[in-house]
Amino acid sequence: MIKEELHIFLKAETGQLLELAKSRSLYPVSENCLYITSKIENNSNENFLEVRKLRKRKNRDKKPRLLNEVVAELSHLYEDLYDLNLFIYKSSKNISLIEIQYFLKSSLDKEYHKKVSQDSPMIHSKLAIPPYVKGDKQRFDLNWELGGFKHRWKLFWWKIC
């Protein structure tokens, strides 16, 4: 991926993420997308659940933006970008809010940073799957990470079974 084609790559990866989401979602997934960005911190010592709660709290306050605005932000960071991960943060029938998490090369340890300093950034789309989902075909609510009664109910039954 080159800097000048960042917009094209993000748009294509968004398309792949939406197709994946449509194949697994219980509810309609909108093609109308807005974006938020998050820097991935090197929190290897922190509890995964605590990191997820903190991320949710931070994302709640972020203002969703158009892809062009996000591309402008990421273009400034391009030389230091190591990895871009696209997730569906929130989905409704009218809008899909995509979170772009980025990891910087400067966050890597020094030796590995030297190895990858000239590499172009990697880009991935990922779908967060709740722990109670079994198999590749089972559909689920894409908004499960935001909580809610249905999620807590399914989590309760998953824990006791």
Side-chain angles (χ1 to χ4, degrees):
M1 167 176 40
I2 59 174
K3 185 176 182 177
E4 292 75 24
E5 295 179 350
L6 185 59
H7 187 277
I8 296 167
F9 278 95
L10 286 173
K11 193 168 181 92
E13 201 67 31
T14 297
Q16 289 180 353
L17 178 62
L18 292 175
E19 288 304 311
L20 178 60
K22 287 176 186 177
S23 72
R24 298 298 304 269
S25 179
L26 283 172
Y27 307 107
V29 177
S30 176
E31 298 273 337
N32 183 21
C33 297
L34 289 176
Y35 299 83
I36 57 175
T37 57
S38 304
K39 180 181 175 187
I40 300 173
E41 302 293 336
N42 200 356
N43 295 337
S44 57
N45 297 336
E46 290 190 39
N47 180 333
F48 173 75
L49 294 174
E50 292 302 316
V51 170
R52 194 169 77 201
K53 284 180 191 177
L54 179 63
R55 189 180 107 232
K56 181 180 154 186
R57 204 172 317 128
K58 286 180 180 178
N59 285 347
R60 198 175 323 139
D61 297 333
K62 292 180 181 175
K63 181 180 181 260
R65 300 175 290 164
L66 297 171
L67 183 59
N68 293 340
E69 296 171 273
V70 171
V71 168
E73 174 191 349
L74 295 175
S75 291
H76 292 300
L77 300 170
Y78 185 82
E79 298 304 321
D80 197 27
L81 285 176
Y82 177 67
D83 195 13
L84 296 169
N85 296 301
L86 280 70
F87 291 92
I88 292 186
Y89 175 69
K90 191 175 187 180
S91 177
S92 71
K93 65 180 181 179
N94 299 324
I95 195 156
S96 294
L97 184 56
I98 309 293
E99 179 184 9
I100 300 176
Q101 296 180 355
Y102 59 90
F103 192 76
L104 299 175
K105 291 176 185 174
S106 56
S107 299
L108 299 168
D109 65 61
K110 290 180 182 180
E111 285 190 33
Y112 192 66
H113 182 272
K114 287 177 188 174
K115 278 185 176 180
V116 298
S117 62
Q118 299 304 313
D119 294 351
S120 61
M122 298 179 284
I123 187 168
H124 310 281
S125 53
K126 300 177 180 180
L127 195 59
I129 300 174
Y132 47 80
V133 169
K134 296 176 184 164
D136 293 341
K137 304 292 184 216
Q138 186 179 354
R139 293 175 173 264
F140 56 92
D141 182 0
L142 296 177
N143 296 319
W144 71 272
E145 286 186 295
L146 300 176
F149 178 74
K150 264 189 194 178
H151 170 65
R152 287 193 302 265
W153 181 253
K154 287 183 178 189
L155 199 57
F156 169 77
W157 283 107
W158 174 72
K159 285 181 180 179
I160 64 169
C161 290

